[in-house]
Amino acid sequence: MFMDDGSRTERSISIATNCFERENLVEFCDFLYNKFGLKFNIMKSNAIYLECAYFKKFVSLIFPYLLDSMYYKIGLLKI
């Protein structure tokens, strides 16, 4: 989801989940917290964003799966 609909702002990320129902997003955010310890919040637009304190943990979890062409999404340049 992050490689497709995700974006980075400063030291946090958001994922465009706008087309999902709020009830489903609550379940999804609970799952992400219980499974990975990542605290996502739901914005009024139904996009979800990760609290800054969890950014490094998020990157460490996704980095092994991140395509080189997507490094810019976490603030890295392709070398």
Side-chain angles (χ1 to χ4, degrees):
M1 287 180 78
F2 177 70
M3 284 192 277
D4 185 29
D5 291 328
S7 62
R8 178 182 60 92
T9 58
E10 295 293 318
R11 291 176 26 123
S12 188
I13 63 114
S14 65
I15 301 175
T17 52
N18 312 75
C19 63
F20 292 92
E21 299 284 333
R22 185 169 183 82
E23 178 181 323
N24 298 119
L25 291 174
V26 169
E27 288 180 41
F28 185 53
C29 289
D30 288 345
F31 167 78
L32 292 170
Y33 185 75
N34 293 328
K35 178 77 175 177
F36 302 107
L38 298 172
K39 177 72 173 145
F40 279 86
N41 292 302
I42 305 168
M43 298 167 36
K44 287 184 181 180
S45 64
N46 275 4
I48 60 173
Y49 73 94
L50 183 69
E51 292 184 5
C52 291
Y54 298 92
F55 181 75
K56 286 184 180 182
K57 183 174 187 172
F58 177 78
V59 170
S60 71
L61 289 168
I62 67 160
F63 192 76
Y65 309 100
L66 198 63
L67 299 174
D68 294 355
S69 62
M70 297 288 138
Y71 283 2
Y72 76 94
K73 288 193 173 212
I74 57 169
L76 296 177
L77 297 174
K78 183 179 176 184
I79 298 174

